[in-house]
Amino acid sequence: MLKPAIGQALGFRTMREPIRLSGGLADPLDSEPFPVPAVDLTGIDPRFLRQEVDYATAEPPGTVVVDPGARFAYLVREKGRAIRYGVGVGREEAFNFRGPATIARKAEWPRWTPTPAMIRREPQRYGSFAGGLPGGTGNPLGPRALYLYRDGQDTLYRLHGTTEPHTIGTMVSSGCVRFLNQDIIDLYGRVPVGTRAVVLAASGTAAR
C-alpha cells in the first residue's frame, strides 16, 4: 500500500495528470513508441517527487523556472502556486547557463549527441557516441527534450528525461537537467514552443 506522504507529495488532488502509482512505483507508460518503464520511487527523497507548491516569484504564469542549485524545476501557475519537479543536474553543463531563455524547440524521443566537453572529460564513456545516438530505449535524453534558446541561438541547455532515475535530486558527472521520464512527459505536454524559461544562479536568484 502506498504511504500517504508519497501520495500527498505527488499531488493527487491538485495535479491534472499525476504520476500513476502502484506499490510505490511510478507506473509504466504504455502509449509511447518505446518502453517507459516503471520507476521505484521509494529510493527518491519525497521532496523531489512532482507536487504543487506555494511559490513566490515575479515570473508570470506559464514560465518554467529552473533552480539547479536546489535540484528543482517549477512551472509557474496562478495565485502564487507552481508545479515543482525534482531534477538531477550535471556538475558543469547544468551550471553553464543563467538567466532568461525561450523554449524554442521540443522533441519526442530526441536524438542525443554528447558535447565536446563531455567527450574530453570522459572519452571512454562518450567517445563512441560522438556521431550521435538515435532516440529510443537507452538514449540518455529519455522520451522528451525541451531546448532553450536565447536571441535565436541554441544555448545547448536542455531539459530532458533520464535512463538513471535514481539520480533525481543529485548532482551527476555530465548532462544538463534531467527529470523522471514520467515528469518530463508531463511538463512537455504543458508548455508550448515559445514558453519563457529562466535558469537561476546557484544562489537561487536569476542572473541578469
Side-chain angles (χ1 to χ4, degrees):
M1 182 175 179
L2 181 66
K3 294 180 180 180
I6 295 180
Q8 183 178 7
L10 287 167
F12 283 113
R13 296 182 180 179
T14 56
M15 297 298 299
R16 185 181 67 190
E17 296 176 357
I19 293 178
R20 295 178 295 131
L21 292 172
S22 176
L25 298 176
D27 283 351
L29 302 180
D30 302 324
S31 59
E32 293 290 321
F34 300 98
V36 178
V39 177
D40 183 357
L41 300 177
T42 60
I44 299 176
D45 188 318
R47 292 182 301 146
F48 297 112
L49 301 180
R50 190 197 324 160
Q51 55 195 288
E52 187 170 291
V53 298
D54 292 325
Y55 186 59
T57 179
E59 297 297 335
T63 302
V64 175
V65 178
V66 179
D67 187 345
R71 319 289 192 267
F72 290 127
Y74 299 86
L75 176 59
V76 179
R77 308 190 89 174
E78 296 180 346
K79 300 180 180 179
R81 302 285 285 175
I83 300 173
R84 188 177 75 189
Y85 304 84
V87 300
V89 300
R91 293 183 185 276
E92 293 188 22
E93 285 83 4
F95 294 90
N96 283 344
F97 177 80
R98 301 287 181 275
T102 300
I103 296 175
R105 180 184 166 212
K106 299 168 56 177
E108 299 186 10
W109 297 98
R111 183 178 183 84
W112 170 73
T113 303
T115 66
M118 292 169 66
I119 295 173
R120 286 194 302 270
R121 191 161 58 243
E122 299 181 78
Q124 292 185 336
R125 183 177 185 183
Y126 296 118
S128 61
F129 301 111
L133 183 67
T137 303
N139 186 303
L141 295 185
R144 303 287 189 276
L146 305 175
Y147 298 79
L148 272 60
Y149 282 61
R150 178 185 284 172
D151 298 327
Q153 298 296 315
D154 187 357
T155 66
L156 303 181
Y157 201 92
R158 283 85 168 97
L159 313 182
H160 57 81
T162 183
T163 57
E164 301 174 317
H166 62 279
T167 62
I168 298 301
T170 71
M171 184 178 290
V172 295
S173 61
S174 296
C176 288
V177 178
R178 59 180 66 184
F179 292 64
L180 289 175
N181 288 337
Q182 286 84 348
D183 282 355
I184 194 63
I185 289 173
D186 179 86
L187 179 61
Y188 183 99
R190 295 176 187 271
V191 296
V193 168
T195 292
R196 174 176 169 83
V198 176
V199 180
L200 304 183
S203 62
T205 58
R208 301 297 181 184

